[in-house]
Amino acid sequence: MENENGRVPGAPGSGDEWASGKGVGAGGHADRPTGPSPYAARNPYAPQSAQSPYAPQDYGPYAQAAPGGAPPPAGAQPTSAFPAAGGGPQTIAPGQSPETDRKSGRGMLVVGIVAAMLVSGGLGGWVGASVAGGSEGGLASPVSITQPEGQAPDGTVEAVADKVLPSVVSIDVRAQSGRGEGSGVVLTQDGMIITNNHVVGLADAGGQIQVRFDDGTKAPATIVGTDPATDIAVIKADTSKALTPISLGTSANLTEGQAVAAVGSPLGLSGTVTTGIVSALDRPVRAGGAQSDQSTVIDAIQTDAAVNPGNSGGALVNMNGELVGINSAIASLGQQNSGSIGLGFAIPVDQARRVADQLIKQGFATRAVLGVSISDTPAGDGALVRSVEAGGGADEAGIREGMVITAVGDRIIENGDALVAAIRSQTPGETVTVTYASGEGEQPTTVDVVLGEAR
């Protein structure tokens, strides 16, 4: 899996969970860097090189009639207005010259074209009369080309699009170090917008941000706060008009197979709506795109709704038009194939909402920590504890170096990334049940751990 800047996550390694975390890279951001792009689409309207179906055809040596329209006499040689091959003399039908041959052929061709035009014109008029119901045996009523009027039924894609599109914006970022594009979701009428940290990160050192609203108007924006650990950022649009906040849902009751829609600006195409389902939950993903930095691991929603570069920071909504996730990453088959392959990842709205609220109120966000440094186990059956923070939650619960954590609550932990994602999905101060094994062949032990808090 890769980010939309072309990064490919590396193999899992060790890391400090409370300082940086650990996660499986999914990588593909939804911000769209400018410059030569591997995502450039082929123009479907480009001229084609195939031979025209209307090219002149060769109808043979007897395509032109003999005088009087009679067929060529038996034994006559093919007529031609050009010398025969090899420069020999041409053979003409008796009583016919090359000039009259050409003229009669041209005359018949013109007559044929006019006749065809008259026939096709008459046919068109007959078809029109039939469709209008004016000809015996024709259709009884005219064809309607109008769309159904009225509001789309609730729960349909049309209804979702009508409700959500006014709350999703395109984001353009320009800085000395480069340029990027992404999406954002309106949280408040006065211009608070949630997006991904990797979308607006370029502007953190003095770049410029511009947002484009659904009605086509634009406004500058400034950064309110960013949190690279969760890949969430909040910006404020400088506009006097009242914006349309999105309806906030919850990610706590999402189920696999549930219908969802992704709304954003893939490849700069603002106001794009795609649909799919929740294909998996609790996916550990490095949404920020770093290959070995655990600080970007999120507990992601996986969807097969088409998510492409430029969708980052946009909305993942349920069929009530309620926000359930912030689109953040895609999986791909390589740097040259980084479009949607049906594996998109979104930050659950419950986590994104908590972080955004902290960024708005205090300018920074906190996250839950277990108080251990971990890595994958050689056998891939848990998270190996490398060290324990003195006085932290794990230390107080009796978890020690060398133990292997295999579960958090009822969630199986297969590697270090899964542990970081599971802990990050919790709230600081919350109590969780942790299952660990002291050594190979030892019976697992379950303890309650009060999670700490870190920035």
Side-chain angles (χ1 to χ4, degrees):
M1 292 182 284
E2 69 170 23
N3 64 39
E4 291 150 23
N5 296 322
R7 298 176 181 160
V8 180
S14 63
D16 183 352
E17 186 271 328
W18 67 73
S20 62
K22 183 179 189 324
V24 174
H29 295 164
D31 61 318
R32 183 174 69 91
T34 58
S37 170
Y39 315 113
R42 296 181 181 274
N43 181 0
Y45 306 109
Q48 303 299 311
S49 61
Q51 181 179 356
S52 168
Y54 306 109
Q57 304 297 314
D58 180 8
Y59 297 103
Y62 295 114
Q64 303 182 33
Q77 298 297 315
T79 61
S80 173
F82 302 96
Q90 56 182 331
T91 304
I92 306 300
Q96 186 176 12
S97 69
E99 182 63 25
T100 57
D101 180 64
R102 287 195 297 271
K103 288 182 178 180
S104 62
R106 185 182 302 114
M108 292 186 66
L109 177 61
V110 171
V111 171
I113 292 175
V114 172
M117 291 175 64
L118 292 174
V119 170
S120 63
L123 181 61
W126 181 86
V127 170
S130 297
V131 170
S135 175
E136 184 179 357
L139 299 180
S141 60
V143 175
S144 173
I145 60 172
T146 61
Q147 289 288 343
E149 296 182 358
Q151 186 175 359
D154 291 341
T156 62
V157 178
E158 296 94 330
V160 170
D162 287 343
K163 183 177 181 179
V164 176
L165 282 172
S167 302
V168 178
V169 302
S170 300
I171 299 177
D172 181 57
V173 182
R174 303 190 184 194
Q176 289 185 346
S177 57
R179 180 182 175 185
E181 294 179 347
S183 306
V185 181
V186 177
L187 296 178
T188 65
Q189 283 188 339
D190 63 352
M192 290 293 183
I193 296 170
I194 187 172
T195 185
N196 283 138
N197 174 71
H198 72 257
V199 171
V200 298
L202 285 174
D204 231 352
Q208 296 181 337
I209 303 173
Q210 185 179 72
V211 297
R212 182 183 185 276
F213 303 108
D214 183 55
D215 62 2
T217 60
K218 300 178 181 179
T222 55
I223 293 177
V224 175
T226 63
D227 184 42
T230 55
D231 198 25
I232 290 294
V234 175
I235 62 176
K236 175 74 161 56
D238 184 11
T239 179
S240 59
K241 70 175 183 178
L243 303 182
T244 305
I246 198 164
S247 297
L248 296 176
T250 179
S251 49
N253 57 6
L254 287 177
T255 58
E256 294 180 356
Q258 179 175 340
V260 290
V263 185
S265 304
L267 304 178
L269 303 173
S270 60
T272 297
V273 180
T274 58
T275 60
I277 62 170
V278 173
S279 50
L281 296 167
D282 303 329
R283 290 293 197 209
V285 170
R286 283 194 183 100
Q291 297 183 26
S292 59
D293 184 3
Q294 296 173 329
S295 68
T296 60
V297 177
I298 61 173
D299 197 33
I301 302 165
Q302 179 180 312
T303 178
D304 69 348
V307 176
N308 286 286
N311 270 118
S312 270
L316 185 71
V317 299
N318 60 25
M319 298 312 287
N320 291 326
E322 299 166 337
L323 186 69
V324 296
I326 299 296
N327 297 316
S328 183
I330 58 174
S332 69
L333 300 177
Q335 295 185 15
Q336 302 304 316
N337 300 281
S338 40
S340 173
I341 58 171
L343 291 172
F345 302 95
I347 302 169
V349 69
D350 292 347
Q351 182 179 5
R353 180 179 186 177
R354 179 181 64 81
V355 172
D357 188 56
Q358 288 185 321
L359 292 176
I360 292 172
K361 291 179 178 178
Q362 60 194 34
F364 64 89
T366 61
R367 64 184 185 276
V369 293
L370 184 61
V372 295
S373 174
I374 48 88
S375 67
D376 296 343
T377 62
D381 55 358
L384 176 63
V385 177
R386 294 290 188 179
S387 63
V388 181
E389 179 186 19
D395 184 35
E396 294 292 334
I399 297 176
R400 299 290 178 258
E401 180 181 342
M403 293 179 175
V404 176
I405 297 175
T406 58
V408 173
D410 59 358
R411 180 172 173 176
I412 301 301
I413 301 300
E414 298 178 344
N415 50 42
D417 289 354
L419 177 60
V420 174
I423 298 300
R424 290 274 176 81
S425 66
Q426 310 297 324
T427 303
E430 189 173 351
T431 299
V432 297
T433 301
V434 176
T435 302
Y436 65 87
S438 299
E440 187 175 353
E442 297 287 337
Q443 290 297 316
T445 301
T446 299
V447 295
D448 289 335
V449 179
V450 178
L451 299 177
E453 184 176 37
R455 289 182 58 177

